[in-house]
Amino acid sequence: MKVLALGHDVVAQDDPRFAELRPSEARRIWEMYQADVLREVYFRADSPNGVLLFEVPDVAAARAAVDSLPLVAAGLIDFDLVPLRPYPGFARLFREP
């Protein structure tokens, strides 16, 4: 299952813990990417927040992955999780009349 994770700040970005935890956050993101749990990583163009795309068995697994991030564990950021499913509409285009 693909799960989209939309990050948002819980505290202001000028909190000094952000700078302190960013290296361990990047390492954890890399570990999840190497483990094929995390498929894509982005920053939003309209805010300094992350967008992650997970490939996991269920939303609970995505929540566990997100909760393992140091910035989440420290209460600085959190993520809204959006479960995704394949778009079925293409079948309508190719049905025999």
Side-chain angles (χ1 to χ4, degrees):
M1 161 180 264
K2 291 189 186 306
V3 178
L4 184 67
L6 303 171
H8 58 87
D9 296 335
V10 175
V11 301
Q13 285 271 330
D14 61 357
D15 187 304
R17 294 176 294 169
F18 275 101
E20 195 178 296
L21 292 171
R22 279 191 181 112
S24 57
E25 182 85 355
R27 179 172 299 282
R28 181 66 187 128
I29 292 285
W30 178 76
E31 290 168 353
M32 288 191 291
Y33 187 81
Q34 291 300 308
D36 277 339
V37 171
L38 183 60
R39 297 299 178 132
E40 299 179 44
V41 182
Y42 301 96
F43 277 115
R44 291 179 57 146
D46 60 349
S47 72
N49 300 114
V51 176
L52 310 175
L53 183 63
F54 289 97
E55 183 77 38
V56 290
D58 53 35
V59 175
R63 176 47 64 189
V66 162
D67 288 348
S68 76
L69 294 168
L71 293 175
V72 173
L76 301 177
I77 65 172
D78 201 4
F79 286 83
D80 295 323
L81 301 181
V82 181
L84 303 175
R85 62 182 175 88
Y87 174 68
F90 291 120
R92 290 189 300 261
L93 295 173
F94 303 107
R95 273 194 209 134
E96 294 294 324

